[in-house]
Amino acid sequence: MSRLLIIGCGGVAGVAIHKCCQNSDVFTEICIASRTKEKCDAVKAKLEGQTKTVITTAKVDADNKDELVALIKDYQPDAVLNVALPYQDLTIMDACLECKVDYIDTANYEPEDIEDPQWRAIYDKRCEELGFSAYFDYSWQWAYMDRFKEAGITGLLGTGFDPGVTSVFTAYALKHYFDEIETIDILDCNGGDHGYPFATNFNPEINLREVSAPGSYWENGHWVEIPAMSIKREYDFPQVGMKDMYLLHHEEIESLAKNIPGVKRIRFFMTFGQSYLTHMNCLENIGMLSTTPINYEGKEIVPIQFLKALLPDPASLGPRTVGKTNIGCIFTGKKDGKEKTIYIYNVCDHQECYKEVGSQAISYTTGVPAMIGAALVVTKQWDRDGVFTVEEFDPDPYMDMLNRFGLPWVVDENPKLVD
Ligand code: NDP
């Protein structure tokens, strides 16, 4: 019996909401609140009558802490699930802190305005000290540790698929298969085809910023940064086939490097087709990925936001996308003194997701774990005061729920390694 406030009503939220409604024994009531209330009302209208979960909706600007606090005080949720954008993480955490309510999200903080001098000074120092230049990192949210602890609330960070399930796979591998994990390769393969020459599978601004940034990996206690897309490998993915994949910086590397004792190397690879890369390079070369506002005929526009308005809405890709995703982790390490290798992965079919919840597999593979993280927090199966990433909790109930809620996983004890 619990009450969840869900902030954001885009692609990922749509799936998380469906899944909360499939788990109405836990989520007896949910409130969907976003900037555009009509979207929340439309989702509510679609689900009402098919679920025992009582759904209400609200309008909120999650950049405004006072509005959030007023909504939380009014709705009195047991927890807040943030599936808006990473830009809103800190205001939502501030509001949860003020109201002493648990907080859950799927992506770590990233500022909307990377030219803000105050943010920039901290960022430049971090780049120098830590050696990776991504605009997002955990430091902003880890800084809430003591305040969440004092308030007696849980902050669960990054419960999507990657980060999220990939980190739970790591905790599960460590608990059941290894005494020590030496290397982790996280492989994110989208074998889906939406039929457009170019589109992004989730929020274009967040997606393109991530992919066009330099890559980096963790090795022997420090970061190694490389030019964007400069390390390429081929991998034969179960149920998808041979794909090109590229090394990217990714946020779970940062928390896994901190939380997995003795790990020597962590890399993240994502598959991209040639058409996607050609379009992205071209857009970058002409300045369309810039977040710096320009003046166009007397009006200020942000190029990447204008591009977002031109591109297909990720939430609209569902009916057209065919094929499968395969996301998982290859671990090497030792068990009882012997070398060991395992690959834990999930395969998800775009069209099956669409039939079930009306969305493609990228939103599905993020929305299901968002619901699972929220369920484990509100039922107190995961209950620690402070701010934590998912690998810091017992992975077993999470792995069990992945099987029950549409993301079954496989353990391959003899996988091909990535060189
Ligand atoms: P969308 O752009 O589809 O949806 C974002 C939603 O947030 C929209 O409903 C938007 O409202 C709402 N929103 C934006 N700004 C505000 C605000 N100031 N106040 C209230 N609501 C706001 O994004 P996705 O669903 O694709 O992504 C959601 C989150 O999931 C992102 O943080 C993304 O990084 C993360 N993600 C995580 C993954 C993982 O595996 N861990 C994978 C994919 C995504 P409106 O419609 O009115 O604009």
Side-chain angles (χ1 to χ4, degrees):
M1 294 268 291
S2 69
R3 201 175 245 243
L4 184 69
L5 172 60
I6 299 172
I7 311 232
C9 192
V12 172
V15 177
I17 294 161
H18 265 86
K19 288 288 164 179
C20 287
C21 291
Q22 287 178 11
N23 194 6
S24 46
D25 290 344
V26 169
F27 298 105
T28 39
E29 294 178 40
I30 60 170
C31 174
I32 316 167
S34 192
R35 199 164 44 182
T36 314
K37 184 169 175 288
E38 295 72 34
K39 286 191 190 169
C40 310
D41 292 334
V43 174
K44 175 183 158 154
K46 211 155 89 183
L47 285 161
E48 253 175 356
Q50 300 173 29
T51 176
K52 283 190 280 174
T53 304
V54 177
I55 308 172
T56 50
T57 62
K59 178 175 168 57
V60 75
D61 176 2
D63 289 319
N64 182 324
K65 188 188 87 169
D66 294 341
E67 271 189 38
L68 287 163
V69 167
L71 177 62
I72 295 172
K73 284 192 171 152
D74 181 47
Y75 187 64
Q76 300 279 317
D78 297 292
V80 174
L81 172 61
N82 167 15
V83 269
L85 297 178
Y87 308 148
Q88 282 83 47
D89 286 4
L90 303 186
T91 36
I92 302 177
M93 288 178 85
D94 285 335
C96 285
L97 198 52
E98 188 165 328
C99 301
K100 295 197 171 30
V101 173
D102 294 336
Y103 168 88
I104 299 122
D105 72 24
T106 66
N108 69 13
Y109 174 66
E110 178 170 350
E112 191 159 13
D113 177 12
I114 52 169
E115 303 305 330
D116 171 20
Q118 230 179 334
W119 175 83
R120 195 91 210 175
I122 298 169
Y123 165 78
D124 287 341
K125 189 162 169 274
R126 189 215 76 202
C127 290
E128 205 168 296
E129 280 172 9
L130 296 187
F132 70 95
S133 61
Y135 294 134
F136 50 88
D137 75 82
Y138 276 113
S139 65
W140 298 90
Q141 293 179 277
W142 282 338
Y144 283 74
M145 178 60 112
D146 290 344
R147 283 174 285 160
F148 268 51
K149 218 181 253 179
E150 273 161 34
I153 56 173
T154 304
L156 180 65
L157 308 183
T159 179
F161 205 105
D162 41 344
V165 176
T166 49
S167 316
V168 173
F169 283 171
T170 307
Y172 187 78
L174 191 57
K175 180 171 177 185
H176 297 286
Y177 288 90
F178 291 93
D179 296 325
E180 193 182 328
I181 291 179
E182 282 167 8
T183 70
I184 307 170
D185 276 336
I186 304 162
L187 310 189
D188 180 332
C189 164
N190 181 5
D193 181 4
H194 45 57
Y196 287 116
F198 185 73
T200 63
N201 292 299
F202 67 97
N203 184 283
E205 197 174 332
I206 306 296
N207 182 227
L208 290 165
R209 269 167 82 157
E210 173 178 285
V211 173
S212 57
S216 65
Y217 57 98
W218 178 261
E219 193 167 50
N220 298 325
H222 61 87
W223 290 95
V224 181
E225 188 157 270
I226 56 157
M229 303 288 167
S230 59
I231 294 185
K232 175 184 167 189
R233 298 284 186 271
E234 273 195 324
Y235 198 79
D236 193 3
F237 288 92
Q239 296 191 48
V240 176
M242 196 64 94
K243 291 276 172 197
D244 290 342
M245 59 183 192
Y246 297 83
L247 188 146
L248 298 186
H249 175 82
H250 221 249
E251 66 191 63
E252 65 267 55
I253 302 178
E254 195 188 355
S255 73
L256 291 172
K258 179 173 148 235
N259 291 322
I260 304 303
V263 67
K264 292 193 175 69
R265 191 186 69 200
I266 312 172
R267 303 184 296 185
F268 180 97
F269 291 92
M270 190 178 271
T271 62
F272 294 100
Q274 199 48 52
S275 171
Y276 182 97
L277 294 179
T278 307
H279 278 81
M280 195 188 71
N281 286 340
C282 174
L283 290 166
E284 184 165 33
N285 289 341
I286 59 174
M288 282 298 282
L289 303 190
S290 168
T291 53
T292 307
I294 59 152
N295 196 292
Y296 178 71
E297 295 190 343
K299 192 173 170 10
E300 212 173 61
I301 60 168
V302 176
I304 198 165
Q305 285 175 3
F306 178 67
L307 174 66
K308 180 181 181 217
L310 293 174
L311 290 174
D313 177 357
S316 72
L317 299 178
R320 342 174 14 118
T321 308
V322 292
K324 291 177 180 173
T325 61
N326 178 326
I327 318 177
C329 309
I330 299 175
F331 304 98
T332 68
K334 291 208 175 66
K335 180 75 177 173
D336 301 326
K338 288 198 201 109
E339 302 283 336
K340 189 165 180 66
T341 304
I342 65 164
Y343 182 18
I344 312 183
Y345 62 86
N346 160 264
V347 174
C348 192
D349 184 285
H350 285 284
Q351 278 300 303
E352 278 176 24
C353 297
Y354 186 68
K355 271 187 231 137
E356 188 196 324
V357 299
S359 92
Q360 33 81 358
I362 304 300
S363 301
Y364 190 91
T365 52
T366 311
V368 171
M371 179 282 288
I372 294 174
L376 293 174
V377 169
V378 297
T379 56
K380 304 279 180 209
Q381 289 178 80
W382 281 9
D383 184 18
R384 289 173 76 179
D385 295 345
V387 175
F388 304 95
T389 41
V390 290
E391 71 273 14
E392 296 179 83
F393 292 90
D394 179 9
D396 292 354
Y398 199 115
M399 294 293 273
D400 177 47
M401 286 184 80
L402 286 171
N403 283 333
R404 281 172 36 223
F405 285 96
L407 294 176
W409 40 273
V410 175
V411 180
D412 174 356
E413 297 204 41
N414 189 23
K416 187 175 169 291
L417 298 183
V418 180
D419 63 24

Coordinates of all heavy atoms in Angstrom, one line a residue, residues 7-13 33-36 39 60-63 82-86 88-89 106-107 158-164 201-204 206 251 308 313-315 362-363 365-366, ligand 1:
I7 N 7.3 12.3 -11.4 CA 7.5 13.6 -12.0 C 8.1 13.4 -13.4 O 9.1 12.7 -13.6 CB 8.5 14.5 -11.2 CG1 8.1 14.5 -9.8 CG2 8.7 15.9 -11.9 CD1 7.9 15.8 -9.1
G8 N 7.4 14.0 -14.4 CA 7.8 13.8 -15.9 C 6.8 12.9 -16.5 O 6.2 12.0 -15.8
C9 N 6.5 13.1 -17.8 CA 5.5 12.2 -18.4 C 5.9 12.0 -19.9 O 5.1 12.2 -20.8 CB 4.1 12.9 -18.3 SG 2.8 11.7 -18.8
G10 N 7.2 11.7 -20.1 CA 7.7 11.4 -21.4 C 7.7 9.9 -21.7 O 6.9 9.1 -21.1
G11 N 8.7 9.5 -22.5 CA 8.7 8.1 -23.0 C 9.0 7.2 -21.8 O 8.3 6.1 -21.7
V12 N 10.0 7.5 -21.0 CA 10.3 6.6 -19.9 C 9.2 6.5 -18.8 O 8.8 5.5 -18.3 CB 11.7 7.0 -19.2 CG1 11.9 6.2 -17.9 CG2 12.8 6.9 -20.2
A13 N 8.7 7.7 -18.5 CA 7.6 7.8 -17.5 C 6.4 7.0 -18.0 O 5.8 6.3 -17.1 CB 7.2 9.3 -17.3
A33 N 2.8 14.0 -12.4 CA 2.9 15.4 -12.5 C 4.0 15.8 -13.5 O 5.1 15.3 -13.4 CB 3.3 16.0 -11.1
S34 N 3.7 16.7 -14.4 CA 4.7 17.2 -15.3 C 4.4 18.6 -15.7 O 3.4 19.2 -15.3 CB 4.7 16.2 -16.5 OG 5.8 16.5 -17.3
R35 N 5.3 19.1 -16.6 CA 5.1 20.5 -17.1 C 3.8 20.6 -17.9 O 3.1 21.6 -17.8 CB 6.4 20.8 -17.9 CG 6.7 22.2 -18.2 CD 8.1 22.4 -18.7 NE 8.4 21.4 -19.7 CZ 9.6 21.3 -20.3 NH1 10.6 22.1 -19.9 NH2 9.9 20.4 -21.2
T36 N 3.6 19.6 -18.8 CA 2.4 19.7 -19.6 C 1.4 18.7 -19.0 O 1.5 17.5 -19.2 CB 2.8 19.2 -21.1 OG1 4.0 19.9 -21.4 CG2 1.7 19.6 -22.0
K39 N -0.5 15.8 -21.0 CA 0.1 14.5 -21.3 C -0.2 13.6 -20.2 O -0.4 12.4 -20.4 CB 1.6 14.7 -21.4 CG 2.1 15.4 -22.7 CD 3.6 15.2 -22.9 CE 4.1 16.1 -24.0 NZ 5.6 16.2 -24.0
V60 N 3.3 20.6 -12.7 CA 4.4 21.1 -11.9 C 5.6 21.5 -12.8 O 5.9 20.9 -13.8 CB 4.8 20.1 -10.8 CG1 5.7 18.9 -11.4 CG2 5.6 20.7 -9.7
D61 N 6.2 22.6 -12.4 CA 7.5 23.0 -13.0 C 8.6 22.5 -12.0 O 8.8 23.0 -11.0 CB 7.6 24.5 -13.2 CG 9.0 24.8 -13.8 OD1 9.8 23.9 -14.0 OD2 9.3 26.0 -13.9
A62 N 9.3 21.4 -12.4 CA 10.2 20.8 -11.5 C 11.5 21.5 -11.4 O 12.4 21.1 -10.7 CB 10.5 19.3 -12.0
D63 N 11.6 22.7 -12.2 CA 12.8 23.5 -11.9 C 12.5 24.5 -10.8 O 13.4 25.2 -10.4 CB 13.1 24.4 -13.2 CG 13.6 23.6 -14.3 OD1 14.5 22.7 -14.1 OD2 13.2 23.8 -15.5
N82 N 11.6 10.5 -10.0 CA 12.0 11.5 -11.0 C 12.3 10.9 -12.3 O 13.3 10.3 -12.5 CB 13.2 12.3 -10.4 CG 13.8 13.2 -11.5 OD1 13.2 13.5 -12.5 ND2 15.0 13.7 -11.2
V83 N 11.3 11.0 -13.3 CA 11.6 10.6 -14.6 C 11.4 11.8 -15.6 O 10.9 11.6 -16.7 CB 10.7 9.4 -15.1 CG1 11.5 8.1 -14.8 CG2 9.4 9.3 -14.4
A84 N 11.7 13.0 -15.1 CA 11.8 14.2 -15.9 C 13.2 14.2 -16.5 O 13.7 13.1 -17.0 CB 11.5 15.4 -15.1
L85 N 13.9 15.2 -16.5 CA 15.2 15.2 -17.1 C 16.3 15.4 -16.1 O 16.0 15.9 -15.0 CB 15.3 16.4 -18.2 CG 14.3 16.2 -19.3 CD1 14.4 17.4 -20.3 CD2 14.6 14.9 -20.1
P86 N 17.6 15.0 -16.4 CA 18.6 15.2 -15.4 C 18.8 16.6 -14.9 O 19.3 16.8 -13.8 CB 19.9 14.8 -16.1 CG 19.4 13.9 -17.3 CD 18.1 14.5 -17.6
Q88 N 16.6 18.4 -13.7 CA 15.7 18.7 -12.6 C 16.2 17.9 -11.3 O 15.5 18.0 -10.3 CB 14.3 18.3 -12.9 CG 13.5 19.4 -13.7 CD 13.8 19.2 -15.2 OE1 13.8 18.1 -15.8 NE2 14.1 20.3 -15.9
D89 N 17.2 17.1 -11.4 CA 17.5 16.2 -10.3 C 17.7 17.0 -8.9 O 17.2 16.5 -7.9 CB 18.9 15.5 -10.5 CG 18.7 14.3 -11.6 OD1 17.6 14.2 -12.1 OD2 19.7 13.6 -11.8
T106 N 16.7 8.1 -12.6 CA 17.2 7.2 -13.5 C 18.5 7.7 -14.2 O 19.1 7.1 -15.1 CB 16.2 6.8 -14.7 OG1 16.0 8.0 -15.4 CG2 15.0 6.2 -14.2
A107 N 18.9 9.0 -13.9 CA 20.0 9.6 -14.6 C 20.6 10.6 -13.7 O 19.9 11.4 -13.0 CB 19.6 10.2 -15.9
G158 N 19.8 6.4 -10.2 CA 20.2 5.7 -11.5 C 19.5 4.3 -11.6 O 20.2 3.4 -11.9
T159 N 18.2 4.2 -11.4 CA 17.6 2.9 -11.6 C 16.8 2.9 -12.9 O 15.6 2.8 -13.0 CB 16.7 2.5 -10.4 OG1 16.1 1.3 -10.7 CG2 15.6 3.6 -10.0
G160 N 17.6 3.0 -14.0 CA 17.1 2.8 -15.4 C 17.8 1.4 -15.8 O 18.0 0.5 -15.0
F161 N 18.1 1.3 -17.1 CA 18.8 0.1 -17.5 C 20.3 0.3 -17.4 O 21.0 -0.5 -16.7 CB 18.4 -0.4 -18.9 CG 18.6 -1.9 -19.0 CD1 17.6 -2.8 -19.0 CD2 19.9 -2.5 -19.1 CE1 17.8 -4.2 -19.0 CE2 20.1 -3.8 -19.1 CZ 19.1 -4.7 -19.1
D162 N 20.8 1.4 -18.0 CA 22.2 1.6 -17.9 C 22.4 3.1 -17.7 O 22.3 3.8 -18.8 CB 23.0 1.0 -19.0 CG 22.4 1.2 -20.4 OD1 21.2 1.5 -20.5 OD2 23.1 1.1 -21.4
P163 N 22.6 3.6 -16.5 CA 22.8 2.9 -15.3 C 21.5 2.3 -14.7 O 20.4 2.8 -15.1 CB 23.3 4.0 -14.3 CG 22.6 5.2 -14.8 CD 22.5 5.1 -16.3
G164 N 21.7 1.3 -13.9 CA 20.5 0.7 -13.2 C 20.7 -0.8 -13.3 O 21.5 -1.4 -12.5
N201 N 16.5 7.6 -29.6 CA 15.5 6.7 -28.9 C 15.0 7.2 -27.6 O 14.1 6.7 -27.0 CB 16.2 5.3 -28.7 CG 16.4 4.6 -29.9 OD1 15.5 4.3 -30.7 ND2 17.7 4.4 -30.3
F202 N 15.8 8.2 -27.1 CA 15.2 8.9 -25.9 C 15.5 10.4 -26.1 O 16.0 10.7 -27.2 CB 15.7 8.3 -24.6 CG 17.1 8.4 -24.2 CD1 17.6 9.4 -23.4 CD2 18.1 7.5 -24.7 CE1 18.9 9.5 -23.1 CE2 19.4 7.6 -24.4 CZ 19.8 8.7 -23.6
N203 N 15.2 11.2 -25.1 CA 15.3 12.6 -25.2 C 16.5 13.0 -26.1 O 17.7 12.8 -25.7 CB 15.4 13.2 -23.8 CG 15.4 14.7 -23.9 OD1 16.4 15.3 -24.3 ND2 14.3 15.3 -23.6
P204 N 16.3 13.6 -27.3 CA 17.4 13.9 -28.2 C 18.6 14.8 -27.6 O 19.7 14.5 -27.9 CB 16.8 14.7 -29.3 CG 15.3 14.5 -29.2 CD 15.0 14.1 -27.8
I206 N 19.6 15.0 -24.4 CA 20.4 14.2 -23.5 C 21.2 13.2 -24.3 O 22.4 13.0 -24.1 CB 19.5 13.5 -22.5 CG1 18.6 14.5 -21.7 CG2 20.3 12.7 -21.5 CD1 19.2 15.5 -20.9
E251 N 27.7 6.9 -17.1 CA 27.7 7.3 -15.7 C 27.9 6.2 -14.7 O 28.5 6.4 -13.6 CB 26.5 8.1 -15.3 CG 25.2 7.4 -15.3 CD 24.0 8.4 -15.2 OE1 23.8 9.2 -16.2 OE2 23.2 8.3 -14.3
K308 N 15.7 19.3 -31.6 CA 14.7 18.4 -30.9 C 13.3 18.6 -31.4 O 12.6 17.6 -31.6 CB 14.8 18.7 -29.4 CG 13.8 17.8 -28.6 CD 13.8 18.1 -27.1 CE 12.8 17.1 -26.4 NZ 12.1 17.7 -25.4
D313 N 9.6 12.6 -32.2 CA 9.4 12.5 -30.7 C 9.7 11.0 -30.4 O 9.1 10.1 -31.0 CB 8.0 12.8 -30.3 CG 7.7 12.6 -28.9 OD1 8.6 12.1 -28.2 OD2 6.6 12.9 -28.4
P314 N 10.7 10.7 -29.5 CA 11.1 9.4 -29.2 C 9.9 8.5 -28.8 O 9.8 7.3 -29.2 CB 12.0 9.5 -28.0 CG 12.6 10.9 -28.1 CD 11.6 11.7 -28.8
A315 N 8.9 9.2 -28.2 CA 7.7 8.4 -27.7 C 6.9 7.9 -28.9 O 6.0 7.1 -28.8 CB 6.8 9.3 -26.8
I362 N 13.6 1.0 -25.8 CA 14.5 1.9 -25.0 C 13.8 2.5 -23.8 O 14.3 2.4 -22.7 CB 15.2 3.0 -25.9 CG1 15.9 2.4 -27.1 CG2 16.1 3.8 -25.1 CD1 17.0 1.4 -26.8
S363 N 12.6 3.0 -24.1 CA 11.8 3.5 -22.9 C 11.4 2.4 -22.0 O 11.4 2.5 -20.8 CB 10.5 4.2 -23.4 OG 10.8 5.3 -24.3
T365 N 13.0 -0.5 -21.4 CA 14.1 -1.1 -20.6 C 14.5 -0.1 -19.5 O 15.2 -0.4 -18.6 CB 15.3 -1.5 -21.5 OG1 15.7 -0.4 -22.3 CG2 15.0 -2.7 -22.3
T366 N 14.1 1.2 -19.7 CA 14.4 2.2 -18.6 C 13.2 2.3 -17.6 O 13.4 2.4 -16.4 CB 14.6 3.6 -19.2 OG1 15.6 3.4 -20.2 CG2 15.2 4.5 -18.2
Ligands
NDP1 P1 11.3 12.8 -22.4 O1 11.9 14.0 -23.0 O2 10.5 11.9 -23.3 O3 10.4 13.2 -21.2 C1 10.8 14.1 -20.2 C2 9.6 14.5 -19.4 O4 10.1 15.4 -18.4 C3 8.6 15.3 -20.3 O5 7.3 14.8 -19.9 C4 8.8 16.7 -19.8 O6 7.6 17.5 -19.9 C5 9.2 16.5 -18.4 N1 9.9 17.7 -18.0 C6 11.0 18.3 -18.5 N2 11.3 19.5 -17.8 C7 10.4 19.5 -16.8 C8 10.2 20.5 -15.8 N3 11.0 21.5 -15.6 N4 9.2 20.3 -15.0 C9 8.3 19.2 -15.1 N5 8.5 18.3 -16.1 C10 9.5 18.5 -16.9 O7 12.6 12.0 -21.8 P2 12.7 10.4 -21.5 O8 11.4 9.9 -21.0 O9 13.3 9.8 -22.7 O10 13.8 10.4 -20.4 C11 13.4 10.6 -19.0 C12 14.7 10.4 -18.1 O11 15.2 9.1 -18.3 C13 15.9 11.3 -18.5 O12 16.4 11.8 -17.3 C14 16.8 10.4 -19.2 O13 18.1 10.8 -19.1 C15 16.6 9.1 -18.4 N6 17.0 7.9 -19.1 C16 17.7 7.0 -18.4 C17 18.1 5.8 -19.1 C18 18.8 4.7 -18.3 O14 18.9 3.6 -18.8 N7 19.2 5.0 -17.1 C19 17.9 5.5 -20.5 C20 17.0 6.5 -21.1 C21 16.6 7.7 -20.5 P3 7.0 18.1 -21.2 O15 6.5 17.0 -22.0 O16 6.0 19.1 -20.8 O17 8.2 18.8 -21.9

